Amino acid sequence: IIGAFGTVDVDDVLSVLDVALERPDCDAGRVGVMGGSYGGFMTSWLSAHHGDRFRAAWSERAVNAWDSFTGTSDIGYWFTDAYLGQDPGAHTKMSPLTYADRIRIPFAIVHSEQDWRCPIEQAQRMFVALRRGGTEAELLIFPGEGHELTRSGQPRHRGQRLDAVLEWWGRHLPVSADDATKSDQDSSV
C-alpha cells in the first residue's frame, strides 16, 4: 500500500464485504463500517468514497489529514513520506479530510485526549468539517487516554466506549423483533 493508501486497501476491504454479502443471512442494507487507527483512516476513507455501501460509520483514533499528522505524531516525521511519498499534493489526495464533504452517512468520531500517535486534532478537524457540511456527526473524547484505549485504557473508559459502540449501532443498525426471532431460531437448529 506504499503510495497507494485508499486504493488497493479499499479493494481488499470491499472484496471481503462483497463475499460476505453473498450469504443469505447478510443484509446489504444493514452494513456499518468501523475501525481504529489505520482502520479509522479506512473508515473515514470508505465513508467518503463508498458511503452508499454503509448505513453509518464509527471511526476511532484515525489519521484524517496527513499534513498536520506529519511532525505532530510520536511515530516520527518520516512516517508520512515513507508511506505516502514526499509530494504534499499526494498527502492531500490521500487524506480523508479532503473528502469530508462527500460523507453523508451518520459518522461517529472517537478519540483519546492524549493520543500522541494520532493527535486529537485529527478528530477535531474531521468533526468540524462534517458538521459544517451538514453531516450527522458525533465526537466522543476520552480524557487521559492514549492511542491504546481499547487495549490498555482505564477499565471504566473501555466500558464507556463499549457502551457507546453498542448504543451507536443500536441506533443506526437496529435489530428488529423479526431479526431477533430469526436469529434465535437459527441458533437452535
Side-chain angles (χ1 to χ4, degrees):
I1 64 169
I2 293 176
F5 277 39
T7 62
V8 295
D9 46 1
V10 169
D11 294 342
D12 286 348
V13 171
L14 293 180
S15 294
V16 170
L17 176 59
D18 289 338
V19 170
L21 290 175
E22 290 175 6
R23 294 175 48 117
D25 57 338
C26 290
D27 180 355
R30 294 189 68 248
V31 176
V33 59
M34 177 177 171
S37 197
Y38 182 78
F41 163 86
M42 286 297 295
T43 296
S44 299
W45 189 270
L46 288 166
S47 297
H49 297 280
H50 301 278
D52 59 320
R53 306 276 316 258
F54 308 101
R55 294 275 308 270
W58 177 281
S59 176
E60 298 185 64
R61 59 192 184 279
V63 174
N64 289 305
W66 292 104
D67 63 340
S68 57
F69 176 86
T70 304
T72 62
S73 171
D74 69 353
I75 204 166
Y77 70 88
W78 58 270
F79 184 88
T80 304
D81 290 350
Y83 283 89
L84 277 63
Q86 295 183 350
D87 176 17
H91 299 176
T92 300
K93 186 178 177 184
M94 288 184 255
S95 292
L97 185 64
T98 301
Y99 311 98
D101 62 332
R102 297 181 184 178
I103 299 174
R104 292 288 164 240
I105 58 175
F107 200 94
I109 301 167
V110 182
H111 220 89
S112 294
E113 183 181 49
Q114 294 175 2
D115 186 340
W116 311 130
R117 178 65 31 95
C118 296
I120 193 170
E121 57 86 21
Q122 295 288 317
Q124 294 165 326
R125 290 178 72 190
M126 180 61 91
F127 178 70
V128 169
L130 292 172
R131 293 297 292 262
R132 281 184 170 168
T135 298
E136 177 187 338
E138 296 180 18
L139 177 62
L140 178 60
I141 297 174
F142 287 93
E145 297 291 355
H147 194 69
E148 299 296 318
L149 167 68
T150 59
R151 292 175 285 280
S152 61
Q154 295 175 44
R156 69 183 169 98
H157 286 157
R158 286 185 289 164
Q160 290 169 343
R161 178 204 161 268
L162 183 56
D163 288 343
V165 167
L166 295 174
E167 190 278 330
W168 176 262
W169 292 120
R171 240 187 311 147
H172 295 288
L173 294 177
V175 176
S176 70
D178 292 340
D179 292 335
T181 301
K182 183 179 185 277
S183 177
D184 288 343
Q185 289 170 348
D186 289 346
S187 65
S188 65
V189 173

